[in-house]
C-alpha cells in the first residue's frame, strides 16, 4: 500500500492550507526550503517532503538544527539569488528572532508561513496571533488568510511582492493553527502557465552575492549609517502598498479571480449599521453570524483585514468611518496597551484618529489558545457593538469574550 | 438543509492514516455527487502518541454556503455516523487533554449509527457503550483492528470496507456508486470489490434508549479564570498513607481528575498467590499505580494504569503478571478485592484471563503497544474471512 501521490496538475484538490502552500512552493519553483519542526507549521514540512519524494518539487531542502539556523540559511540563500521558503510557529518563530530582525535591514526577500500558535508555556498549540505580530515593527510584510485557496494565492503574491526590486523585504503568511493547517478543503488550482505569467523569476540584479559580482553585505554600521538604512527600509515598506495593488490586479486577471480589494474583505457591509473587524479564520463564524442576524433584520457586516503590514489604514479609514459603531476582534493580546486593547484594536484606533466622522469603537479579545469563536460569542460581540452605536461611547472599551469566569 | 457529518474514532498514531484516508475518500466521493465537504482531525488530540484516542471528521454539504453554516472547524456537536476503528474505544474516548470520558456514542444523532470494526458481537459491545436517551443503530464491520506504521497503513481493506458499510448505513452522505468510482481511482478494483462486499454484508442492530452500559462517565468541571490557580499552577498531591486508609500497607494520594480510562488497551492481571513481594512492579511502574496491601502484595489501580506493560516485563515470577486485552474487562474494579472476597473464584477468573491472552511471554519477553503479540493473527482467524474469496 502506498499513500496516493499528489498530482498538482489536477484542477481541483482536497488540501489543507499547509498543503496549499507546499504546492505553491512547487509551482513557484522555489530553490531553497529550510525547516525545523513545530506544530502546526510542521504540516507544511510533511507536504514539502512528500512533494520532493514524489518528484514534484526539486529544491534544496535543509532541516536545520534550530529555527535560528533555519531562518539564517534562507536569508543567505536569498542573498545569492535563490527563491526561498521557510516558516515556523509560536515560540519556534521567536527562537529565530535575531534572524527575523536582520533580514529586513539587509533587504533580503523571504517568504515564511507562520502556522499561528500560542506562545507557550504553559504548553499550548492553539491559534493566537501574537507570534507573527511580534515582528510587526521590523520590516516584515504580514498577511493573514482564511481559506486554503487564499493561502495558495497569498504565497504566490508574497514571492512576487517580496522579490520586487522596489521592495526586497521578507513576507510572512499567517495561517491559523488547526483551522487552516490541519483542515482539508476543496481548492481550485491555478495552472502552471498562470503561475508563471503571474510570478516572474527572482532576479537580484547587481545585488546578488556571487563570485562574479563581488559585493559585501551586512557591514558594521553605527550612528553614521543606520538611521539612513532604516529610512530606506521604511521607504520600501511604504512602496509595498502600490506593488501589492499592482500584483492583486494581475492576480485577478491572470487567475480569473473575482475583483477583490487587495487589503481588506468587506462582507455584507454596504448598508450595515455596525461591523466587526478581525483577521484570519474567525471569518467563518463571523460570516455565518452576519447572515443569521440579517435574517432577524439586524444590519450587520464583517470586515476582514488581509494585510497587517503594510497596514491598510487608507482602506480602513474609508471603509469604517461610515458605520454607527465598530467592534475590533483580536485573537491576540497586548497586555498593558492603551485601553488594554489588542494589537489590531490599537492599530485601527490609531488609523481612525484623523477620520471624520470617527466611529465609536469597542475592542474584543477572544479565541485565544485556539478557543472556538462561536456564533454565540460573535452575536454577543455584535450586541455589545450595537450598545456602543446607541450611546456613541463604549462604557468598557475592551471586553474579553468566551472566558470562563 | 442536507449536511452530513461523520467522525472516525481511532488510536494514535497507528490508525491516523487509516482515519485520514476514510475521511478524505468520503469528501472526494461526495464531489462525484456534486456535493462539497471538508476533512479534518481534532486538533486538541495528540495523535502522535501511542494509543491515544483521537478523532478525524468528514463534513459534507450540498453547497459551500451550507458547509459554512456547519462551522466545520471544530469537533461537530453531532454526527450522523460515529465510526470506531478500534472496538476497545467503545468504552469511551478520552482526549489527550483529559477532559474526562466521552461516551463513544455521545455525538451520534438520534437514528444515527455507530459503525465499529470488531470481531465481537453487538451484545458484547453494548456492555461497553454508555446508555443514550435517544435510539441509534449499531453496525459492525467484521474484522480485527487495523494498526500500522507512521507513514503507511496495513492495506487490509479496512478503509474501503468501512466506506462500503457507510454507504449502506448512511446513504444520504454518499452512495455506494460514488465510493466505488473514487476507490477505483484512488486504489484498484480489488478494493472496490471489498467495499461492495461490505455494503452487502454489514448488519445493523437498533439500540433502544437505556440500552448499554449504565455507568455515569467520568467528568469534571473546569474552573473559571477568577477561581483557578494563578498560571494554572498544579499543586502536589500528598504522599499518601495506608492501604484504603487503613493502618497497614501503602496507597499514594492521587490527583482527583487525572485518571486513565480508554487510553489503555491492555491491563495487568495479577496472581496474588505466586507474588514474591519483590517490589519491582511497584518500583518500575511509571504511573505509580500499584497500591501496597497490608500483607505486602501489589494491587494495580486501574484509574492510574496506562497499560504500558512494564510491570509484566520486570516481574521475575513466571506468569505472575499477565497483560490482557481491555476487551475482556467492563470495569476498573480492584483485583485484590476480588481475590480477598473469593480466592477460588478469582483464581478461576485469572486462568480465564490468561487463556484470553495470546501472549507467549517466554518467547517474546513482553507485550507492548495495543496488541498482545499474535493477537492480530488470532483475531483475523476468528473473522472467518481468511480463505474467503
Amino acid at each position: 500500500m502506498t499513500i496516493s501521490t499528489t498530482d498538482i496538475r489536477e484542477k481541483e484538490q482536497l488540501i489543507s492550507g499547509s498543503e496549499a502552500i507546499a504546492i505553491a512552493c512547487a509551482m513557484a519553483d522555489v530553490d531553497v526550503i529550510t525547516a525545523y519542526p513545530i506544530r502546526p507549521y510542521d504540516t507544511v514540512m510533511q507536504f514539502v517532503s512528500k512533494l520532493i519524494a514524489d518528484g514534484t518539487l526539486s529544491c534544496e531542502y535543509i532541516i536545520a538544527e534550530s529555527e535560528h539556523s533555519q531562518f539564517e540559511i534562507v536569508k543567505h540563500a536569498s542573498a545569492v539569488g535563490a527563491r526561498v521558503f521557510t516558516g515556523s510557529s509560536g515560540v519556534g518563530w521567536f527562537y529565530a528572532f535575531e534572524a527575523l530582525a536582520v533580514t529586513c535591514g539587509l533587504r533580503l526577500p523571504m517568504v515564511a508561513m507562520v502556522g499561528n500558535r500560542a506562545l507557550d508555556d504553559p504548553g499550548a498549540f492553539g491559534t493566537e496571533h501574537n507570534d507573527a505580530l511580534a515582528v510587526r515593527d521590523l520590516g516584515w510584510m504580514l498577511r493573514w488568510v482564511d481559506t486554503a485557496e487564499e493561502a495558495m494565492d497569498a504565497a504566490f503574491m508574497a514571492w512576487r511582492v517580496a522579490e520586487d526590486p522596489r521592495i526586497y523585504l521578507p513576507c510572512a503568511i499567517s495561517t491559523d493553527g488547526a483551522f487552516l493547517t490541519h483542515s482539508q478543503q476543496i481548492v481550485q488550482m491555478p495552472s502552471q502557465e498562470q503561475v508563471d505569467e503571474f510570478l516572474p523569476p527572482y532576479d537580484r540584479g547587481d545585488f546578488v552575492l556571487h563570485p562574479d559580482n563581488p559585493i559585501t553585505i551586512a557591514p558594521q554600521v553605527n550612528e553614521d549609517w543606520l538611521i539612513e538604512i532604516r529610512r530606506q527600509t521604511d521607504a520600501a515598506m511604504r512602496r509595498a502598498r502600490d506593488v501589492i495593488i499592482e500584483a492583486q490586479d494581475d492576480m485577478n486577471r491572470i487567475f480569473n479571480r473575482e475583483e477583490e480589494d487587495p487589503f481588506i474583505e468587506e462582507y455584507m457591509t454596504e448598508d450595515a449599521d455596525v461591523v466587526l473587524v478581525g483577521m484570519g479564520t474567525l471569518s467563518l463564524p463571523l460570516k455565518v453570524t452576519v447572515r443569521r442576524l440579517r435574517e432577524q433584520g439586524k444590519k450587520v457586516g464583517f470586515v476582514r483585514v488581509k494585510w497587517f503590514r503594510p497596514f491598510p489604514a487608507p482602506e480602513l479609514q474609508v471603509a469604517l468611518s461610515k458605520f454607527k459603531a465598530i467592534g475590533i476582534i483580536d485573537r491576540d493580546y497586548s497586555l498593558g496597551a492603551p485601553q488594554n486593547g489588542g494589537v489590531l484594536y490599537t492599530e485601527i484606533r490609531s488609523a481612525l484618529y484623523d477620520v471624520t466622522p470617527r466611529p465609536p469603537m469597542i475592542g474584543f479579545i477572544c479565541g485565544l489558545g485556539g478557543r472556538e469563536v462561536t456564533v454565540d460569542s460573535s452575536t454577543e460581540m455584535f450586541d455589545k457593538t450595537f450598545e456602543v452605536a446607541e450611546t456613541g461611547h463604549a462604557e468598557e472599551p475592551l471586553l474579553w469574550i468566551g472566558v470562563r469566569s | 438543509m442536507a449536511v452530513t457529518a461523520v467522525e472516525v474514532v481511532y488510536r494514535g498514531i497507528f490508525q491516523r492514516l487509516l482515519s485520514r484516508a476514510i475521511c478524505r475518500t468520503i469528501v472526494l466521493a461526495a464531489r462525484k455527487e456534486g456535493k462539497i465537504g471538508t476533512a479534518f482531525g481534532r486538533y486538541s488530540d495528540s495523535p502522535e502518541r501511542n494509543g491515544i484516542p483521537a478523532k478525524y471528521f468528514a463534513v459534507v454539504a450540498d453547497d459551500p454556503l451550507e458547509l459554512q453554516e456547519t462551522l466545520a472547524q471544530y469537533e461537530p456537536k453531532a454526527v450522523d455516523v460515529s465510526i470506531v476503528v478500534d472496538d476497545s474505544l467503545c468504552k469511551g474516548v478520552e482526549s489527550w487533554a483529559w477532559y474526562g470520558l466521552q461516551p463513544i456514542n455521545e455525538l451520534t444523532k438520534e437514528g444515527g449509527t455507530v459503525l465499529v470494526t470488531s470481531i465481537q458481537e453487538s451484545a458484547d459491545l453494548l456492555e461497553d457503550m454508555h446508555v443514550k436517551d435517544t435510539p441509534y443503530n449499531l453496525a459492525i464491520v467484521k474484522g480485527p483492528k487495523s494498526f500500522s506504521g507512521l507513514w503507511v497503513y496495513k492495506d487490509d481493506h479496512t478503509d474501503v470496507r468501512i466506506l462500503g458499510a457507510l454507504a449502506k448505513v448512511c446513504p444520504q452522505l454518499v452512495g455506494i456508486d460514488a465510493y466505488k468510482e473514487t476507490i477505483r481511482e484512488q486504489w484498484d478494483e480489488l478494493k472496490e470489490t471489498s467495499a461492495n462486499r461490505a455494503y452487502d454484508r454489514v448488519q445493523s442492530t437498533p439500540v433502544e434508549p437505556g440500552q448499554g452500559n449504565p455507568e455515569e462517565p467520568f467528568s469534571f468541571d473546569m474552573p473559571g479564570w477568577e477561581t483557578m490557580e494563578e498560571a494554572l499552577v498544579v499543586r502536589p498531591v500528598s504522599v499518601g498513607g495506608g492501604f484504603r486508609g487503613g493502618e497497614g500497607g501503602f496507597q499514594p494520594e492521587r490527583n482527583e481528575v487525572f485518571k486513565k480510562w480508554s487510553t489503555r488497551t491492555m491491563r495487568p492481571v495479577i496472581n496474588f498467590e505466586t507474588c514474591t513481594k519483590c517490589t519491582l512492579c511497584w518500583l518500575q511502574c511509571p504511573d505509580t499505580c500499584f497500591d501496597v496491601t497490608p500483607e505486602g502484595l501489589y494491587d494495580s489501580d486501574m484509574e492510574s494504569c496506562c497499560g504500558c506493560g512494564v510491570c509484566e516485563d520486570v516481574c521475575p515470577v513466571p506468569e505472575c503478571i499477565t497483560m490482557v486485552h481491555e476487551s475482556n474487562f467492563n470495569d476498573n474494579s480492584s483485583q485484590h478485592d476480588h481475590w480477598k472476597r473469593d480466592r477460588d473464584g478469582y483464581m478461576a477468573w485469572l486462568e480465564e484471563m490468561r487463556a484470553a491472552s495470546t501472549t507467549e511471554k517466554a518467547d517474546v519477553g513482553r507485550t507492548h503497544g495495543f496488541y498482545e503479540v499474535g493477537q492480530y493473527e488470532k483475531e483475523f482467524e476468528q473473522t472467518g474471512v481468511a480463505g474467503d474469496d
Side-chain angles (χ1 to χ4, degrees):
Chain A
M1 169 62 204
T2 55
I3 304 301
S4 58
T5 56
T6 308
D7 183 351
I8 62 171
R9 290 162 304 180
E10 288 274 347
K11 191 80 199 79
E12 184 181 285
Q13 306 271 354
L14 176 61
I15 50 178
S16 68
S18 299
E19 206 167 359
I21 288 179
I23 293 174
C25 287
M27 297 186 89
D29 193 19
V30 168
D31 302 306
V32 177
I33 298 178
T34 60
Y36 187 82
I38 183 170
R39 189 178 186 176
Y41 151 80
D42 60 350
T43 45
V44 87
M45 294 177 63
Q46 294 166 19
F47 295 120
V48 161
S49 308
K50 190 160 164 299
L51 289 171
I52 292 171
D54 291 349
T56 306
L57 169 58
S58 170
C59 69
E60 287 294 331
Y61 183 43
I62 301 163
I63 313 295
E65 101 297 350
S66 72
E67 286 90 352
H68 188 278
S69 301
Q70 183 195 348
F71 280 78
E72 279 292 332
I73 293 165
V74 278
K75 185 189 88 182
H76 287 81
S78 183
V80 302
R83 172 167 289 166
V84 299
F85 173 74
T86 188
S88 195
S89 288
V91 290
W93 173 250
F94 276 38
Y95 197 76
F97 217 97
E98 185 197 16
L100 298 182
V102 296
T103 302
C104 312
L106 297 179
R107 305 293 297 285
L108 294 167
M110 171 191 299
V111 172
M113 184 188 103
V114 181
N116 296 117
R117 165 177 174 150
L119 299 165
D120 42 358
D121 291 339
F125 44 67
T127 279
E128 281 177 11
H129 292 165
N130 279 77
D131 51 3
L133 285 172
V135 298
R136 67 186 168 146
D137 301 329
L138 304 179
W140 275 80
M141 294 181 285
L142 298 175
R143 172 76 192 261
W144 259 265
V145 297
D146 77 338
T147 61
E149 190 160 296
E150 196 187 345
M152 179 176 281
D153 285 359
F156 295 131
M157 180 80 82
W159 281 301
R160 163 122 170 206
V161 176
E163 295 167 357
D164 189 295
R166 292 167 286 181
I167 310 297
Y168 286 161
L169 287 175
C171 181
I173 303 160
S174 276
T175 54
D176 284 345
F179 315 127
L180 268 181
T181 55
H182 286 63
S183 152
Q184 299 157 63
Q185 307 161 355
I186 299 288
V187 173
Q188 304 301 327
M189 305 286 291
S191 69
Q192 188 62 56
E193 291 71 30
Q194 286 170 313
V195 174
D196 291 344
E197 190 186 345
F198 174 74
L199 185 59
Y202 174 32
D203 180 4
R204 242 183 121 61
D206 63 358
F207 285 100
V208 71
L209 186 64
H210 191 274
D212 296 341
N213 185 47
I215 57 169
T216 295
I217 59 173
Q220 178 68 18
V221 295
N222 289 321
E223 70 276 21
D224 298 339
W225 300 98
L226 193 57
I227 197 168
E228 284 75 19
I229 293 172
R230 296 284 180 253
R231 183 64 183 86
Q232 283 183 339
T233 315
D234 167 61
M237 181 61 88
R238 294 190 199 204
R239 288 192 292 269
R241 277 187 55 82
D242 286 343
V243 177
I244 290 168
I245 292 167
E246 243 177 64
Q248 184 72 53
D249 282 347
D250 279 353
M251 177 165 275
N252 294 346
R253 178 175 52 81
I254 297 165
F255 287 28
N256 303 316
R257 296 275 191 256
E258 278 175 35
E259 281 300 316
E260 58 172 285
D261 187 280
F263 296 104
I264 61 172
E265 179 193 0
E266 293 192 62
Y267 187 74
M268 295 194 170
T269 55
E270 278 123 58
D271 61 340
D273 290 330
V274 307
V275 297
L276 292 176
V277 187
M279 300 200 293
T281 54
L282 53 76
S283 62
L284 176 58
L286 262 299
K287 285 176 178 178
V288 170
T289 309
V290 165
R291 289 201 294 270
R292 292 191 190 169
L293 291 179
R294 281 197 170 254
E295 280 170 18
Q296 299 168 23
K298 292 185 178 162
K299 290 183 178 173
V300 294
F302 173 66
V303 176
R304 183 168 62 91
V305 176
K306 299 199 289 186
W307 285 92
F308 186 85
R309 286 288 183 268
F311 195 75
E315 286 73 17
L316 290 170
Q317 285 162 357
V318 172
L320 300 182
S321 66
K322 57 181 178 281
F323 303 116
K324 290 180 181 159
I326 57 173
I328 316 299
I329 310 170
D330 273 282
R331 203 166 210 161
D332 63 73
Y333 51 89
S334 180
L335 307 180
Q339 287 82 33
N340 301 306
V343 175
L344 185 63
Y345 168 84
T346 308
E347 295 263 326
I348 290 179
R349 200 174 165 87
S350 166
L352 298 187
Y353 186 77
D354 296 320
V355 171
T356 348
R358 191 166 59 213
M361 66 189 285
I362 181 169
F364 303 106
I365 289 176
C366 76
L368 297 190
R371 176 74 51 90
E372 181 171 12
V373 178
T374 60
V375 171
D376 283 350
S377 52
S378 306
T379 306
E380 184 186 348
M381 291 188 278
F382 274 118
D383 288 346
K384 296 287 180 193
T385 312
F386 268 115
E387 284 173 24
V388 173
E390 274 168 32
T391 60
H393 169 72
E395 213 49 55
E396 277 187 79
L398 191 280
L399 297 172
W400 287 63
I401 302 293
V403 183
R404 273 197 314 276
S405 56
Chain B
M1 194 146 136
V3 174
T4 316
V6 167
E7 63 176 343
V8 180
V9 189
Y10 69 96
R11 286 196 187 273
I13 176 68
F14 303 115
Q15 291 187 313
R16 187 181 161 274
L17 284 175
L18 170 67
S19 312
R20 186 175 187 269
I22 292 168
C23 289
R24 277 183 63 82
T25 312
I26 290 170
V27 176
L28 292 171
R31 289 300 281 164
K32 307 274 184 210
E33 296 184 353
K35 298 171 183 167
I36 190 158
T38 178
F40 56 102
R42 186 166 69 174
Y43 188 63
S44 56
D45 293 330
S46 250
E48 65 274 15
R49 285 157 212 247
N50 285 14
I52 286 295
K55 289 192 177 190
Y56 223 98
F57 305 101
V59 181
V60 169
D62 283 344
D63 60 62
L65 216 56
E66 227 176 51
L67 186 63
Q68 267 195 8
E69 288 290 330
T70 68
L71 299 172
Q73 288 188 328
Y74 283 86
E75 177 162 9
K77 304 284 182 284
V79 298
D80 297 81
V81 184
S82 302
I83 297 168
V84 188
V85 289
D86 175 358
D87 59 358
S88 63
L89 287 166
C90 286
K91 295 184 178 194
V93 189
E94 54 189 350
S95 88
W96 168 65
W98 307 104
Y99 301 132
L101 191 68
Q102 183 188 58
I104 192 69
N105 50 18
E106 179 160 289
L107 303 188
T108 317
K109 286 181 189 167
E110 180 171 358
T113 301
V114 177
L115 177 65
V116 190
T117 58
S118 183
I119 57 167
Q120 297 187 62
E121 299 300 327
S122 53
D124 297 328
L125 294 176
L126 278 169
E127 282 182 24
D128 293 336
M129 294 164 64
H130 291 86
V131 293
K132 205 170 159 63
D133 52 15
T134 50
Y136 64 98
N137 300 295
L138 173 59
I140 296 175
V141 174
K142 202 85 177 160
K145 294 166 275 291
S146 178
F147 280 118
S148 190
L150 283 167
W151 302 109
V152 291
Y153 61 93
K154 197 192 291 280
D155 196 12
D156 53 10
H157 295 208
T158 299
D159 40 17
V160 296
R161 293 177 71 223
I162 284 169
L163 293 168
L166 190 57
K168 187 65 157 283
V169 302
C170 189
Q172 70 272 27
L173 175 64
V174 177
I176 185 69
D177 291 339
Y179 282 127
K180 283 162 70 175
E181 191 185 339
T182 312
I183 290 166
R184 204 161 52 236
E185 282 171 16
Q186 298 276 309
W187 292 289
D188 53 31
E189 284 181 11
L190 186 62
K191 293 191 80 162
E192 184 193 338
T193 309
S194 282
N196 211 26
R197 198 163 291 176
Y199 177 81
D200 290 336
R201 287 180 180 174
V202 66
Q203 297 292 327
S204 189
T205 323
V207 182
E208 297 306 323
Q211 221 182 324
N213 175 3
E215 266 173 46
E216 192 68 33
F218 174 71
S219 66
F220 58 91
D221 292 328
M222 291 189 281
W225 74 274
E226 290 158 308
T227 49
M228 66 190 232
E229 288 275 5
E230 289 282 338
L232 201 64
V233 164
V234 181
R235 300 285 171 191
V237 290
S238 50
V239 174
F243 183 70
R244 310 278 154 86
E247 289 293 309
F250 176 74
Q251 186 168 323
E253 291 282 323
R254 295 195 169 95
N255 188 305
E256 282 173 23
V257 294
F258 191 81
K259 295 171 188 271
K260 309 274 172 44
W261 302 88
S262 61
T263 289
R264 178 180 62 235
T265 54
M266 294 191 288
R267 70 170 69 175
V269 293
I270 299 161
N271 187 343
F272 298 103
E273 316 225 327
T274 58
C275 172
T276 61
K277 308 178 182 178
C278 74
T279 75
L280 282 176
C281 59
W282 177 74
L283 276 170
Q284 297 290 332
C285 174
D287 287 332
T288 325
C289 67
F290 283 94
D291 296 339
V292 189
T293 70
E295 62 266 55
L297 294 167
Y298 296 91
D299 188 27
S300 185
D301 180 83
M302 280 306 128
E303 289 184 0
S304 306
C305 172
C306 71
C308 70
V310 162
C311 52
E312 181 193 47
D313 195 31
V314 299
C315 180
V317 181
E319 297 189 354
C320 178
I321 298 181
T322 311
M323 295 300 289
V324 177
H325 198 261
E326 276 294 311
S327 55
N328 296 291
F329 307 94
N330 290 321
D331 59 36
N332 280 348
S333 62
S334 158
Q335 292 171 18
H336 184 261
D337 283 356
H338 184 182
W339 178 69
K340 288 292 272 188
R341 198 172 58 240
D342 172 15
R343 290 195 178 200
D344 291 343
Y346 181 80
M347 293 311 288
W349 173 83
L350 185 68
E351 280 314 309
E352 204 182 302
M353 287 301 111
R354 282 219 201 104
S357 165
T358 53
T359 305
E360 300 292 339
K361 193 180 172 193
D363 298 336
V364 298
R366 58 166 289 203
T367 52
H368 56 85
F370 319 100
Y371 268 126
E372 299 158 2
V373 176
Q375 186 180 351
Y376 181 82
E377 290 73 11
K378 185 176 163 188
E379 287 185 0
F380 191 71
E381 274 172 30
Q382 287 171 16
T383 62
V385 295
D388 184 348
D389 62 355

